[in-house]
Amino acid sequence: MSGLQVFLEYTLAGIATGGVYTLVGLGFVLVFKASGVFNFAMGDMMMAGAYTFYLCAVVFDLHWAVALLIAVVFSCALAWLIERTVLRRMMGQPVIAVVMATFGIGFVLRGIAAIAFGSEAYQLPALLPRAPFFIGDIMLPGKSVRGFVLTTGLCGAIILFLRYSRAGIALRATAADQITAYAMGINVRRVFALTWMAAAAIGTVAGVIAASVTSLTPDLGTIGLNVLGVVILGGLNSVGGVIVAGLFIGWLEAMTAAYLPGDIREITPYIAVLAMLMIRPYGLFGTRPVERI
Amino acid sequence: MVPATLVLTGVDIRYQASVDAVRDLSLTVPRGGIVALLGANGAGKSSTLNAISGFLPLLRGRMMAGRISFEGEDTAGLAPHALVRRGVLHVREGRHVFADMTVEENLVAGTFALTGRRAVHRRGFDEVYGYFPILAQRRKGQAGYLSGGEQQMLAIGRALVAEPRLMLLDEPSLGLAPRVVAEIFAIIARINREKGTSILLVEQNAVMALGCAQYAYVLENGRVAAEGSGASLAADASIRELYLGVGADGAARSFRDAP
């Protein structure tokens, strides 16, 4: 393989991973923007969605599109339940208490998955065809290309939704100023519930993509830790920032895997985040202090 | 007798179980009337509005006693968005436009107040633009880049979208040039006249407020210190001294000491 081809292949693989980070990061940012809560259960909600997909697609042998739809609906319902039973009761409590509750929710979800499915790794059916793409003489892995197209489309849809839909305006209004949002007649609590459900839906898609690239275990949610770096890098309240940062971290990981030895890959994103925070404490595009974590 | 839009009886407001912000306040806003609530900083004017619009719990405040009735129904304890959807619109002090959104998106946010009242669709907002032509010119511009006066117009226009039956206006003149203040008050009076919207107006600019209100209450340390028709309060010597800046000695006095 030529040097250029290595670079391009790793770049593309990195951007595909980055797309998953971006999606999960968007789930974080939506919830944080609306309610100021840092949702540490995001990665585990993603894992729960992926298991539901596995159950539908493999155990019940449904078509992958149907399985994905069911998984999205299920995780939305789960998010709604979590919002109703745990978070709504905690309204008015200090944010740190709510954040701790999301930690707990994450552990519970992981525990349930471990009890129900055990800790062995499952293979998901190939969600996307593997047939390679060619740009000139350069062969690109089909799964990465199609994964990238899928995540790009989803990110675009989310941006358009936030920008132009009425519900998007309600969400931005709630994010900007809760009391004024109430004064507009916006049901702020319902907006919170909707952002949790949206985050769960996005997380499910990300979880299915991530699990089909690697494999499905109850620990799939630990990808949320990488995403923690992503959202801090991009700025906790910035949709644009998380997209750029997600793709960048994914690419950076791939580059270190290609050109640097062994385990450095694991810590590279955190070094990048650390360096960034020294220069811009609120992240690339963030506007508010991150005191709320 | 014309039924009142809003009646407060014996309202006590407290923040975090410490300070009494408002004590034993009773006031009435008649249907289609403009009532002014005057007083110095910290007299309890904004607290009163927050109690009416249901914001107190969000601000760690509580109504300890009293009744609030809007159009004959007890509304104390309703969630803010539910009150808005009944037609109680609170235009908060400091305008609070959504700075990152366009003028038109701010107005779209205002349409959530129509939920449950009638079918909501994206309208042209012609009525708002009729009252505030400058907003029509700026409709695609970011609200954060509007001047203070234009932001105040947007805040009022955003409430107007919701077809309010009662508007609570908190300091619409705050930080604005006299010419702009006059313009905004003229439009407030027009909205009241043409649409029959009842208005409860909190103001530090007592001259402007008494100029357009039929009736006014003066709050001091959370209690009603004086009340009367706009004209009679404007003529009252001690009111003139304390709120219109035309006193002889200029020394601060309490209304309860007044004869």
Side-chain angles (χ1 to χ4, degrees):
Chain A
M1 281 201 296
S2 70
L4 178 66
Q5 188 171 353
V6 169
F7 177 78
L8 278 181
E9 270 193 17
Y10 274 96
T11 294
L12 198 74
I15 287 177
T17 318
V20 172
Y21 291 167
T22 294
L23 285 180
V24 182
L26 278 173
F28 269 115
V29 168
L30 280 181
V31 169
F32 184 82
K33 261 176 100 77
S35 55
V37 171
F38 203 89
N39 174 18
F40 278 102
M42 185 67 211
D44 301 297
M45 282 161 69
M46 169 182 152
M47 176 273 300
Y51 269 105
T52 316
F53 176 81
Y54 171 81
L55 210 58
C56 295
V58 178
V59 179
F60 299 126
D61 202 22
L62 298 170
H63 186 266
W64 69 266
V66 179
L68 188 61
L69 188 70
I70 293 174
V72 165
V73 170
F74 171 79
S75 53
C76 281
L78 184 67
W80 179 83
L81 193 72
I82 290 171
E83 207 279 336
R84 263 297 154 99
T85 53
V86 181
L87 298 158
R88 191 161 292 194
R89 284 164 197 277
M90 300 192 70
M91 273 218 155
Q93 304 283 336
V95 171
I96 189 74
V98 185
V99 171
M100 287 299 130
T102 68
F103 251 119
I105 292 163
F107 279 122
V108 170
L109 289 177
R110 213 175 303 170
I112 291 173
I115 292 166
F117 296 95
S119 56
E120 64 195 285
Y122 292 99
Q123 290 302 314
L124 287 193
L127 187 56
L128 303 161
R130 287 163 195 268
F133 273 85
F134 290 94
I135 301 176
D137 287 340
I138 300 165
M139 190 187 85
L140 302 171
K143 214 153 69 167
S144 301
V145 174
R146 293 185 178 90
F148 178 66
V149 170
L150 190 67
T151 45
T152 310
L154 203 53
C155 289
I158 292 164
I159 289 172
L160 290 177
F161 170 78
L162 287 175
R163 189 101 197 83
Y164 296 111
S165 77
R166 211 167 153 263
I169 286 176
L171 198 149
R172 280 153 64 203
T174 305
D177 182 345
Q178 253 178 52
I179 293 185
T180 306
Y182 267 121
M184 299 294 101
I186 293 167
N187 189 340
V188 170
R189 291 180 181 195
R190 180 175 296 167
V191 171
F192 289 172
L194 286 177
T195 54
W196 273 83
M197 290 164 71
I202 299 166
T204 297
V205 175
V208 170
I209 294 174
S212 66
V213 171
T214 57
S215 65
L216 179 58
T217 70
D219 289 329
L220 182 69
T222 46
I223 218 177
L225 274 182
N226 297 34
V227 175
L228 184 70
V230 167
V231 291
I232 289 172
L233 183 66
L236 279 175
N237 55 5
S238 167
V239 169
V242 83
I243 292 175
V244 173
L247 296 178
F248 175 70
I249 296 266
W251 177 78
L252 199 64
E253 276 187 8
M255 285 299 110
T256 47
Y259 298 112
L260 296 174
D263 293 339
I264 294 183
R265 176 191 162 121
E266 300 294 322
I267 55 165
T268 308
Y270 300 102
I271 294 172
V273 169
L274 201 62
M276 172 55 63
L277 288 183
M278 286 170 162
I279 305 164
R280 284 188 58 90
Y282 305 151
L284 279 174
F285 301 93
T287 48
R288 249 179 278 167
V290 281
E291 70 198 339
R292 277 173 156 170
I293 289 185
Chain B
M1 196 188 134
V2 188
T5 297
L6 179 76
V7 181
L8 269 64
T9 16
V11 170
D12 284 11
I13 298 168
R14 206 179 263 191
Y15 287 97
Q16 297 218 310
S18 56
V19 198
D20 279 350
V22 170
R23 269 173 293 172
D24 194 26
L25 174 75
S26 298
L27 66 76
T28 302
V29 180
R31 191 171 296 267
I34 301 184
V35 171
L37 200 52
L38 309 176
N41 264 338
K45 306 178 305 264
S46 295
S47 298
T48 307
L49 293 195
N50 286 332
I52 298 166
S53 57
F55 286 156
L56 273 186
L58 301 175
L59 302 166
R60 295 169 189 271
R62 264 184 75 194
M63 210 172 104
M64 309 299 289
R67 285 194 62 216
I68 296 177
S69 96
F70 170 66
E71 298 194 326
E73 278 182 71
D74 201 340
T75 56
L78 284 184
H81 65 272
L83 277 158
V84 173
R85 291 172 183 186
R86 288 177 179 219
V88 181
L89 267 289
H90 186 163
V91 180
R92 297 168 63 213
E93 177 180 350
R95 309 186 260 273
H96 294 279
V97 298
F98 299 117
D100 293 337
M101 295 192 205
T102 67
V103 166
E104 191 139 301
E105 285 171 346
N106 268 272
L107 296 179
V108 172
T111 61
F112 280 89
L114 297 168
T115 313
R117 272 193 281 168
R118 59 168 183 72
V120 181
H121 49 91
R122 279 188 178 218
R123 300 179 303 161
F125 304 118
D126 292 339
E127 188 182 69
V128 176
Y129 292 143
Y131 281 109
F132 304 105
I134 186 80
L135 295 183
Q137 290 174 32
R138 303 275 160 90
R139 73 173 74 181
K140 297 286 176 209
Q142 274 202 6
Y145 294 129
L146 297 177
S147 72
E150 288 160 1
Q151 290 192 7
Q152 187 62 58
M153 291 176 188
L154 178 55
I156 296 173
R158 205 167 52 172
L160 216 50
V161 169
E163 297 172 0
R165 295 209 281 241
L166 171 66
M167 269 214 267
L168 311 169
L169 299 176
D170 199 348
E171 303 270 8
S173 75
L174 191 77
L176 301 181
R179 190 183 52 78
V180 182
V181 173
E183 193 183 335
I184 284 173
F185 270 83
I187 295 170
I188 291 171
R190 242 183 83 202
I191 290 169
N192 168 256
R193 196 169 60 240
E194 293 172 4
K195 296 178 61 72
T197 311
S198 310
I199 291 172
L200 179 58
L201 173 67
V202 158
E203 256 304 335
Q204 298 221 35
N205 187 337
V207 182
M208 289 307 302
L210 291 176
C212 76
Q214 290 104 28
Y215 201 83
Y217 297 83
V218 179
L219 286 190
E220 194 180 85
N221 295 328
R223 291 175 188 274
V224 174
E227 61 178 284
S229 71
S232 75
L233 284 181
D236 184 294
S238 52
I239 304 276
R240 287 167 65 86
E241 183 184 322
L242 276 157
Y243 294 102
L244 307 186
V246 260
D249 55 350
R253 286 205 294 146
S254 166
F255 285 106
R256 269 172 268 126
D257 303 332

